[in-house]
Amino acid sequence: MTLVLDVSNYDESTFDPVCMLSEGVGAIILGCQREDVADRMAAKAQDAGLPIIATYAFLYFGQDTLGQTMAAVRISKKYSIPRVFLDCESGEGTERPGITVAERQAELRDCIHAVNTEGLAAGIYTGAFWWPSKMGNTTEWAHLPLWHAAYYNDGSRQRSVAYGGWSECAIHQWTSTLDVCGRRRDANEVWDTSLLEVGMTKEETQALIDQRLDATLGLTLLALMEQMLGIKPSTFDATNQQRVDAIVAKLGTGVSLKGTTFTGVIQ
């Protein structure tokens, strides 16, 4: 099995990709909490020939989720890294007090959409200690690869899981204390070896195509309904929620679409 470390900004002072390669590290997953630090670390890894199979973004729910996600997206695109894992483990001090399950779900939904919109694959980092209670054990993202965190005294690796609709994890983060090149590091067992490949898997590529097709069809439908109802869109938010609200409001006045015709080509 390939030894894969995940490294955060806190690893920068001891981050030596040449040393890591000499000690058997086959790849890393790069944290992007501070984009400038992640940029320097990514450049060093690239220069040394140490593969970066993914970035990750720690999500500060209710405080900073999309900003963290976009930092990881930018690093991923700059260094041709195919996927972004969204780190879901926030707690006291790293999320807004009183945030609800529904609010966390909505923010994660936006982050996944942002990753996919940029042409990258998304994954979820979390654990059974967090997901069932903080995310209501939703199965909405069970189709995404799970990076599962769980440490055992005997150092055993785990593949089977039972939460969030996942039955197996793609990656198991099994320790945070593996001595590598002058520091204790997070180490991972990558069960889904397709994640070690450069580029997206066939399934990830198809899912991205489907997601973009759904978005295109949705925007086309919005445009058609606006035309049929005589609504002239001006400036709307990035999620198009105001467009949907305007259509719903118009329909709520008793306007019917029966017998309505439309002309023109929707781009």
Side-chain angles (χ1 to χ4, degrees):
M1 286 287 187
T2 302
L3 175 59
V4 176
L5 304 180
D6 58 279
V7 292
S8 73
N9 295 169
Y10 298 108
D11 288 278
E12 185 186 23
S13 62
T14 58
F15 184 60
D16 185 342
V18 174
C19 175
M20 288 179 175
L21 286 166
S22 72
E23 294 198 10
V25 177
I28 61 170
I29 303 172
L30 178 63
C32 298
Q33 279 177 290
R34 285 182 52 194
E35 190 172 348
D36 59 329
V37 175
D39 194 6
R40 290 193 295 270
M41 294 174 72
K44 286 181 69 173
Q46 188 176 75
D47 289 345
L50 178 61
I52 308 172
I53 62 170
T55 60
Y56 74 86
F58 186 97
L59 302 186
Y60 297 85
F61 286 97
Q63 297 176 341
D64 182 16
T65 51
L66 196 55
Q68 289 290 317
T69 298
M70 293 311 298
V73 164
R74 286 188 292 270
I75 293 296
S76 293
K77 295 185 75 173
K78 181 174 181 178
Y79 293 95
S80 301
I81 303 165
R83 51 188 63 82
V84 176
F85 279 93
L86 299 166
D87 187 341
C88 301
E89 57 173 324
S90 60
E92 186 176 353
T94 56
E95 67 176 18
R96 193 192 76 230
I99 190 169
T100 66
V101 167
E103 288 173 324
R104 288 192 198 92
Q105 290 177 352
E107 290 190 16
L108 179 56
R109 196 172 293 117
D110 287 344
C111 292
I112 291 170
H113 177 73
V115 171
N116 292 155
T117 298
E118 294 292 335
L120 301 171
I124 304 292
Y125 171 96
T126 193
F129 66 92
W130 194 89
W131 192 268
S133 60
K134 300 293 187 177
M135 277 289 178
N137 212 31
T138 179
T139 61
E140 181 175 348
W141 298 291
H143 63 287
L144 297 179
L146 171 66
W147 180 10
H148 171 69
Y151 307 154
Y152 301 105
N153 291 333
D154 62 358
S156 60
R157 278 69 153 172
Q158 174 182 357
R159 188 167 192 176
S160 296
V161 296
Y163 63 90
W166 292 289
S167 58
E168 291 185 343
C169 60
I171 305 173
H172 175 206
Q173 185 188 70
W174 57 273
T175 185
S176 61
T177 59
L178 185 68
D179 286 317
V180 180
C181 298
R183 192 177 192 272
R184 291 183 172 184
R185 317 277 181 180
D186 294 342
N188 303 273
E189 191 80 18
V190 179
W191 299 109
D192 182 353
T193 55
S194 70
L195 298 179
L196 297 172
E197 299 170 3
V198 176
M200 287 187 284
T201 66
K202 177 182 176 182
E203 292 76 13
E204 287 170 333
T205 302
Q206 185 61 54
L208 183 58
I209 291 171
D210 291 344
Q211 187 269 337
R212 286 186 164 180
L213 180 60
D214 287 345
T216 301
L217 290 173
L219 289 173
T220 301
L221 180 59
L222 279 177
L224 289 173
M225 293 187 73
E226 286 166 343
Q227 188 181 71
M228 287 186 283
L229 290 168
I231 298 173
K232 281 192 171 183
S234 53
T235 303
F236 296 94
D237 60 316
T239 64
N240 293 297
Q241 186 60 52
Q242 292 180 34
R243 298 179 73 177
V244 174
D245 291 344
I247 290 169
V248 171
K250 190 80 169 181
L251 291 173
T253 65
V255 174
S256 174
L257 295 178
K258 186 176 181 180
T260 304
T261 60
F262 61 91
T263 59
V265 177
I266 305 300
Q267 298 296 328

